[in-house]
Amino acid sequence: MYRFAKAAVNISGQAMRQVRHGSNLPQNFHSKYGAGVLVSGAIFCTAVWGYVLTSTGITWNLSPVGKLQPKPWREE
């Protein structure tokens, strides 16, 4: 248990040093472009769904109430 605790403290100490000194490192892709990719993806998704909902002529049939009628009874 002592070895595990010592290793855990060592790992947490290394993590603290990396966090403390991480601001001097070059930025990674996510910190540079993450927000832009997220916003452009949201705009693209909204544009595609806007086109699908308005221009494709799809009949959505959201509620079947009043649209479904029973078939007439046939006696043979």
Side-chain angles (χ1 to χ4, degrees):
M1 189 66 180
Y2 173 72
R3 288 183 192 170
F4 177 74
K6 186 176 176 183
V9 169
N10 188 23
I11 290 173
S12 65
Q14 288 176 356
M16 290 295 286
R17 282 192 295 277
Q18 286 177 355
V19 168
R20 197 175 323 133
H21 296 293
S23 60
N24 297 335
L25 297 174
Q27 295 180 342
N28 62 4
F29 178 83
H30 296 288
S31 61
K32 278 187 179 180
Y33 305 111
V37 170
L38 181 68
V39 169
S40 63
I43 291 171
F44 177 77
C45 182
T46 304
V48 168
W49 274 109
Y51 173 77
V52 167
L53 292 174
T54 59
S55 299
T56 57
I58 295 176
T59 304
W60 291 95
N61 295 332
L62 297 178
S63 175
V65 175
K67 296 178 183 175
L68 297 176
Q69 298 295 326
K71 292 181 180 179
W73 182 261
R74 293 182 305 158
E75 292 188 27
E76 295 182 27

